[in-house]
Amino acid sequence: MIAELISVGTELLLGNILNSNAKYLSEQCSELGLSVYFQTVVGDNPNRLEEVLKQGIQRSDVIILTGGLGPTQDDITKEIVAKVVNKKLIKDHDTEKKLNLFFEKRKVKMSHNNLKQAYVPEGSMVLDNHNGTAPGLIVKDETGKKSIILLPGPPKELIPLFEEQVKPYIKEKSHYTIVSEVIKIVGLGESLVEEKVLALIEKQTNPTIAPYAKDGEVHLRITSRTKTLKEGKALIEPTKKEIYNLLGQHIYSSDGRTLEEVVVDLLIEKNYSLSVAESCSGGLLSGRLINCSGISSVYKEGIITYSNESKIKLGVKKETIDAYGSVSEETAKEMAQAIATRAQSDVALSITGIAGPNGGTKEKPVGLVYIACHIHGKTIVEKINALGSRDKIRNFSVISAINLLRKELLKKG
Amino acid sequence: MIAELISVGTELLLGNILNSNAKYLSEQCSELGLSVYFQTVVGDNPNRLEEVLKQGIQRSDVIILTGGLGPTQDDITKEIVAKVVNKKLIKDHDTEKKLNLFFEKRKVKMSHNNLKQAYVPEGSMVLDNHNGTAPGLIVKDETGKKSIILLPGPPKELIPLFEEQVKPYIKEKSHYTIVSEVIKIVGLGESLVEEKVLALIEKQTNPTIAPYAKDGEVHLRITSRTKTLKEGKALIEPTKKEIYNLLGQHIYSSDGRTLEEVVVDLLIEKNYSLSVAESCSGGLLSGRLINCSGISSVYKEGIITYSNESKIKLGVKKETIDAYGSVSEETAKEMAQAIATRAQSDVALSITGIAGPNGGTKEKPVGLVYIACHIHGKTIVEKINALGSRDKIRNFSVISAINLLRKELLKKG
């Protein structure tokens, strides 16, 4: 089956935003066994959108449109689809109810514009949007053979809609089963991971192995294409084993969990409580851990000691900062020890570093970060040299701290 | 003049990479006064590329193709362009010389394939590539009216080529200048913003006004099209004033700054120090503020009191939590007061709420969040009802807290 993506939005044509939806959907289609031959971006213009949509229906089996489903006058995707497939727009009562509920809950008066979102082309399959007001839609063309899938533009709405409702729909239409597993790796760069598994990548055709760099981590996706799910899973198994042999503990999960979920699960399993002290990361480490379910049973307290004054108030010795500086092995160590004492936690993490863009010196350049893990009376410190923007350095520090804790938790058996 | 972008590359269709070239080129074209009506991505496939190129020549004045200029068999862009505009490929002696020099310098033998890069459609303008072996090209269609611009795919080659050689070429051909400004709004939903400025949107043709929803905020972009930059700026001014009249303090910036940057700048200006106490947001509020430059001069301390125990340790009365619960106006108020006292800061913010997915009750549903701002001995509490995922609720709480502080800082004159 051939798929085609049409992104609707003037902000894309003006270059205001990157088309991350097209990347996501292409990746997903490829995994589902659909061939994407064209991606098109078109503005909020009725004639041009109509032209592009008609062409898509002619040459592809599945057309995925994103954007232009909102409540404003500029949002025309649904209207143009209805026109092209020759269907009326009718009010969908379920969607209307949900819209009313949405605004009631927020205690906001629903504007007249918003009701526009309750209208759908006759005969559409309505996809529930749990993260916004515009529902997704699946509409058939006049022949009934082509599927036109409409999704809202914001990735936070589009991704769950696609995962939960579009994927099963496409899977049912597709002739073979695609099984894929993602092995997640931390603490090794993309080229190093690729070097280690290169022989494996080169000899494989089914399953295939593809590496992706992702915010300080590397993911290896193993994908098989078979008739049944069982065959697909069996085909993946030996490759997965070989990758585990090659990369060992650098692999933190292959079951979909994030790095922080793996660590929080380890803490829960061992019944260890956790506290956190942060300087340059300024709350991002706690913020990330606290996004995990079950965290409330282990997380005791966090503190953001961005200034030297607040580090000293926490319990770091003034002499330590005077002698070694606030960005040093010694300060990181005392931060972790001090928050463990204050919170009376089994385990403590700390981060102190220079995230830039200013504040670097020759001896202590931007990107120098110390992370410490205090566990059962012992404190381990790691020094890292991160590269890139302030944002990137802070993010890499957070990942490294979570990974340090993971390694220590695994050591304790 | 109408421009159209065609990106050639299977890696884009597989979703392996983001199309950052399309964003860059769209932004550039818009600044140069070209209207980009279509962006297309197509694979390394001769028939499909030919189809897309022919369509582009029909409907646009300038067609910018990126990718597919390399030495391999997969690289077909130049060949297809030559075919479509009915020109022979001839050897360009300057390019051949440069190729020879390039490989000599690197002491590498030039492979036969590489010579392919010295061939150009007859009559082309050859653009020197200082960062790679494939030159850029400008080719005219058969009528001589349309320009087809071919650029190499790697951004490190494409960007300098565009800046140095394509920009001057387009400027010479273009007749007007595009100026645009973004007005950023917080505390009002997209449809409400549009309702308020609808009359304005409807009556405008130059400048135009377009609303965009963005992570809990709404942005209005005003864009003018004039002969000179000065005229463009003057044309935007009255519309901008009208929008300020309509939306008032809901507008937090029109100079590119983020919400947190505006608030941190206000704190610096007033020389107010800040501390933060967070429960459900778990560090994200501090994390966001600490991403601003200059924050170190105002941020004193942050604390993450996720558990009741840690809230009480901070200074919230046990009786308050027992009587009203940890998610209540009273607890939010005491959290802000307690951190202000602990940190001895002029201003304090606090957040406590139920981010879900679990923990909600009928009286206190998921999404119920209290935010408090303590400023000069007074504490203001706002109750919000956020909807969506845990992530979305936490993010909305953070934005609301920063906005509450902004409103209070503006009040103090």
Side-chain angles (χ1 to χ4, degrees):
Chain A
M1 279 201 310
I2 297 167
E4 167 151 4
L5 310 181
I6 302 174
S7 312
V8 186
T10 305
E11 67 279 22
L12 288 162
L13 294 179
L14 287 171
N16 292 340
I17 55 168
L18 271 164
N19 196 350
S20 63
N21 286 342
K23 178 184 188 304
Y24 167 78
L25 290 171
S26 290
E27 219 173 349
Q28 293 295 321
C29 284
S30 156
E31 269 176 44
L32 289 164
L34 296 182
S35 303
V36 176
Y37 284 169
F38 301 95
Q39 296 170 358
T40 308
V41 178
V42 63
D44 310 309
N45 174 288
N47 296 332
R48 291 194 283 273
L49 177 54
E50 187 176 335
E51 174 190 337
V52 167
L53 177 60
K54 280 184 174 163
Q55 191 176 45
I57 294 173
Q58 251 172 36
R59 64 190 181 188
S60 307
D61 304 304
V62 176
I63 299 95
I64 307 180
L65 289 129
T66 55
L69 294 182
T72 77
Q73 288 228 328
D74 267 358
D75 295 305
I76 53 164
T77 304
K78 205 165 50 184
E79 288 72 11
I80 299 299
V81 170
K83 183 181 170 198
V84 168
V85 302
N86 207 14
K87 301 253 166 75
K88 267 188 218 154
L89 283 171
I90 55 163
K91 201 196 270 180
D92 182 64
H93 293 287
D94 278 354
T95 305
E96 192 188 9
K97 260 190 230 160
K98 269 171 217 152
L99 277 170
N100 281 323
L101 206 69
F102 179 92
F103 285 95
E104 259 171 40
K105 262 197 181 170
R106 280 184 167 69
K107 302 197 169 39
V108 173
K109 214 186 134 236
M110 181 161 87
S111 75
H112 183 71
N113 281 345
N114 271 299
L115 201 63
K116 177 173 173 299
Q117 298 181 90
Y119 283 81
V120 307
E122 209 169 358
S124 309
M125 192 173 145
V126 179
L127 312 175
D128 241 18
N129 180 355
H130 305 299
N131 302 293
T133 50
L137 294 167
I138 302 182
V139 187
K140 290 284 184 180
D141 77 330
E142 284 182 283
T143 70
K145 286 180 186 154
K146 311 286 179 97
S147 302
I148 305 162
I149 303 174
L150 290 78
L151 297 172
K156 279 181 190 172
E157 302 179 26
L158 178 143
I159 295 171
L161 261 173
F162 191 89
E163 291 287 334
E164 291 158 24
Q165 298 175 75
V166 180
K167 247 186 184 172
Y169 174 84
I170 292 178
K171 271 187 183 161
E172 220 186 277
K173 294 175 62 86
S174 186
H175 301 301
Y176 33 75
T177 306
I178 301 287
V179 181
S180 95
E181 285 196 30
V182 177
I183 297 184
K184 298 182 178 178
I185 296 137
V186 66
L188 283 178
E190 190 186 10
S191 51
L192 218 60
V193 169
E194 199 175 297
E195 220 175 273
K196 282 183 189 278
V197 296
L198 194 63
L200 209 55
I201 292 183
E202 279 178 349
K203 84 170 193 227
Q204 300 288 339
T205 50
N206 190 14
T208 56
I209 306 167
Y212 303 101
K214 234 171 184 173
D215 290 336
E217 307 182 0
V218 181
H219 295 180
L220 285 176
R221 177 182 297 274
I222 318 175
T223 308
S224 70
R225 182 181 289 218
T226 51
K227 284 210 175 142
T228 69
L229 186 72
K230 206 179 152 191
E231 282 171 8
K233 283 192 171 172
L235 200 60
I236 283 178
E237 224 28 63
T239 305
K240 196 173 152 185
K241 263 191 195 143
E242 281 194 74
I243 294 175
Y244 264 88
N245 286 340
L246 288 166
L247 299 175
Q249 283 204 356
H250 288 295
I251 298 171
Y252 71 80
S253 96
S254 58
D255 56 8
R257 284 183 301 164
T258 62
L259 180 60
E260 52 272 24
E261 282 168 351
V262 166
V263 168
V264 169
D265 287 350
L266 279 171
L267 289 170
I268 293 171
E269 187 191 308
K270 291 173 188 286
N271 197 21
Y272 288 172
S273 59
L274 172 71
S275 61
V276 173
E278 304 181 61
S279 185
C280 68
S281 53
L284 297 183
L285 172 55
S286 284
R288 196 145 165 172
L289 292 165
I290 289 178
N291 216 21
C292 299
S293 70
I295 184 71
S296 61
S297 65
V298 292
Y299 186 92
K300 294 201 78 170
E301 199 176 334
I303 195 148
I304 298 146
T305 54
Y306 196 64
S307 64
N308 284 349
E309 190 193 336
S310 59
K311 286 187 188 73
I312 292 164
K313 207 200 288 175
L314 171 65
V316 176
K317 289 200 257 343
K318 188 175 177 300
E319 303 83 64
T320 304
I321 294 178
D322 288 345
Y324 304 101
S326 61
V327 177
S328 63
E329 193 183 322
E330 292 76 10
T331 300
K333 198 171 177 172
E334 290 188 17
M335 281 170 69
Q337 289 166 350
I339 187 68
T341 306
R342 179 184 153 90
Q344 294 185 282
S345 64
D346 302 309
V347 179
L349 282 176
S350 73
I351 298 180
T352 181
I354 302 156
N358 308 313
T361 62
K362 213 177 162 187
E363 293 88 44
K364 296 193 177 180
V366 168
L368 175 70
V369 180
Y370 290 92
I371 52 180
C373 175
H374 181 75
I375 183 163
H376 290 314
K378 258 182 67 185
T379 314
I380 300 95
V381 185
E382 255 183 29
K383 175 184 172 181
I384 56 179
N385 290 291
L387 287 178
S389 63
R390 181 172 175 88
D391 219 33
K392 231 170 167 171
I393 291 170
R394 296 172 82 210
N395 191 39
F396 188 69
S397 308
V398 168
I399 290 172
S400 303
I402 302 176
N403 193 37
L404 175 60
L405 175 55
R406 185 182 71 93
K407 289 184 290 186
E408 291 304 317
L409 288 171
L410 291 177
K411 263 190 206 162
K412 301 272 158 185
Chain B
M1 274 199 314
I2 296 167
E4 168 152 4
L5 310 181
I6 302 174
S7 309
V8 186
T10 305
E11 69 280 17
L12 288 162
L13 294 180
L14 287 172
N16 293 340
I17 55 168
L18 271 164
N19 196 351
S20 62
N21 286 342
K23 179 185 188 302
Y24 167 77
L25 290 171
S26 289
E27 221 172 350
Q28 292 296 318
C29 284
S30 159
E31 270 174 41
L32 289 163
L34 295 182
S35 303
V36 177
Y37 284 169
F38 302 95
Q39 297 171 358
T40 309
V41 178
V42 63
D44 309 308
N45 173 288
N47 295 334
R48 291 195 282 272
L49 177 55
E50 189 177 334
E51 174 191 337
V52 168
L53 178 61
K54 279 182 174 164
Q55 192 177 42
I57 293 173
Q58 250 172 37
R59 65 191 181 186
S60 306
D61 304 304
V62 176
I63 300 96
I64 307 181
L65 289 127
T66 54
L69 294 181
T72 77
Q73 287 230 325
D74 267 357
D75 295 305
I76 54 164
T77 305
K78 204 165 51 186
E79 289 72 11
I80 299 297
V81 169
K83 185 182 169 197
V84 168
V85 302
N86 207 12
K87 300 254 164 77
K88 268 188 218 155
L89 283 171
I90 57 162
K91 200 196 270 179
D92 181 66
H93 293 287
D94 278 352
T95 305
E96 191 187 12
K97 261 190 229 162
K98 269 172 216 151
L99 276 170
N100 281 323
L101 205 69
F102 180 91
F103 285 96
E104 260 171 41
K105 260 193 182 174
R106 281 173 176 68
K107 300 197 169 44
V108 174
K109 213 182 139 237
M110 181 163 85
S111 76
H112 183 70
N113 279 346
N114 270 298
L115 202 61
K116 177 174 174 298
Q117 297 180 92
Y119 283 81
V120 306
E122 208 169 358
S124 312
M125 194 172 144
V126 179
L127 312 175
D128 243 15
N129 179 354
H130 304 299
N131 302 291
T133 52
L137 294 167
I138 302 180
V139 188
K140 289 283 184 179
D141 78 329
E142 285 183 284
T143 69
K145 286 180 188 156
K146 311 285 178 102
S147 302
I148 305 162
I149 303 175
L150 290 78
L151 296 171
K156 276 183 195 169
E157 302 178 27
L158 178 144
I159 295 172
L161 261 172
F162 191 89
E163 292 287 333
E164 291 158 23
Q165 297 172 77
V166 180
K167 245 186 185 171
Y169 174 83
I170 292 177
K171 268 188 184 159
E172 225 186 272
K173 293 173 65 86
S174 179
H175 305 299
Y176 37 75
T177 307
I178 301 286
V179 181
S180 95
E181 284 195 31
V182 177
I183 297 184
K184 298 182 178 177
I185 296 135
V186 68
L188 283 180
E190 190 187 9
S191 51
L192 218 60
V193 169
E194 191 173 298
E195 227 174 81
K196 282 182 188 278
V197 296
L198 194 64
L200 209 55
I201 292 184
E202 279 177 348
K203 83 169 194 226
Q204 298 288 339
T205 51
N206 189 15
T208 57
I209 305 167
Y212 304 102
K214 237 174 180 171
D215 289 337
E217 306 181 1
V218 181
H219 295 180
L220 285 177
R221 178 183 293 273
I222 317 175
T223 308
S224 70
R225 180 180 290 219
T226 51
K227 283 212 174 141
T228 67
L229 186 71
K230 205 178 152 192
E231 281 170 7
K233 285 191 170 173
L235 200 60
I236 282 178
E237 227 24 67
T239 305
K240 197 172 150 186
K241 263 191 196 145
E242 281 193 74
I243 293 175
Y244 265 88
N245 284 341
L246 289 166
L247 299 174
Q249 284 204 356
H250 288 294
I251 298 171
Y252 70 80
S253 97
S254 59
D255 56 7
R257 284 182 302 165
T258 61
L259 180 61
E260 52 271 27
E261 281 168 352
V262 167
V263 169
V264 169
D265 287 350
L266 280 171
L267 289 170
I268 293 172
E269 188 191 307
K270 291 173 188 288
N271 198 22
Y272 288 171
S273 59
L274 173 70
S275 61
V276 173
E278 301 181 64
S279 185
C280 68
S281 53
L284 297 182
L285 172 56
S286 284
R288 195 145 167 174
L289 292 166
I290 289 177
N291 215 21
C292 299
S293 71
I295 183 71
S296 61
S297 66
V298 292
Y299 187 91
K300 293 199 82 171
E301 200 175 335
I303 195 147
I304 298 146
T305 54
Y306 196 64
S307 63
N308 283 349
E309 190 194 335
S310 59
K311 287 186 188 73
I312 292 165
K313 206 198 291 175
L314 171 65
V316 176
K317 288 199 258 344
K318 188 175 176 302
E319 302 81 64
T320 304
I321 294 178
D322 287 345
Y324 304 102
S326 60
V327 176
S328 63
E329 194 183 321
E330 291 76 8
T331 300
K333 197 170 178 173
E334 290 188 18
M335 279 170 69
Q337 289 167 349
I339 187 67
T341 306
R342 180 184 152 91
Q344 294 185 284
S345 63
D346 302 307
V347 180
L349 282 176
S350 74
I351 298 179
T352 182
I354 302 157
N358 308 312
T361 62
K362 214 178 160 188
E363 291 88 47
K364 297 194 176 178
V366 167
L368 175 70
V369 180
Y370 290 91
I371 53 180
C373 175
H374 181 75
I375 185 162
H376 290 313
K378 257 184 66 188
T379 313
I380 299 94
V381 186
E382 254 183 31
K383 175 185 172 180
I384 56 179
N385 291 289
L387 283 178
S389 63
R390 182 171 174 88
D391 218 34
K392 224 169 168 176
I393 292 171
R394 296 171 82 212
N395 191 40
F396 188 69
S397 308
V398 167
I399 290 173
S400 303
I402 301 176
N403 193 38
L404 174 60
L405 174 54
R406 184 182 71 95
K407 288 184 290 184
E408 291 303 319
L409 288 171
L410 291 177
K411 264 189 207 163
K412 300 273 159 185

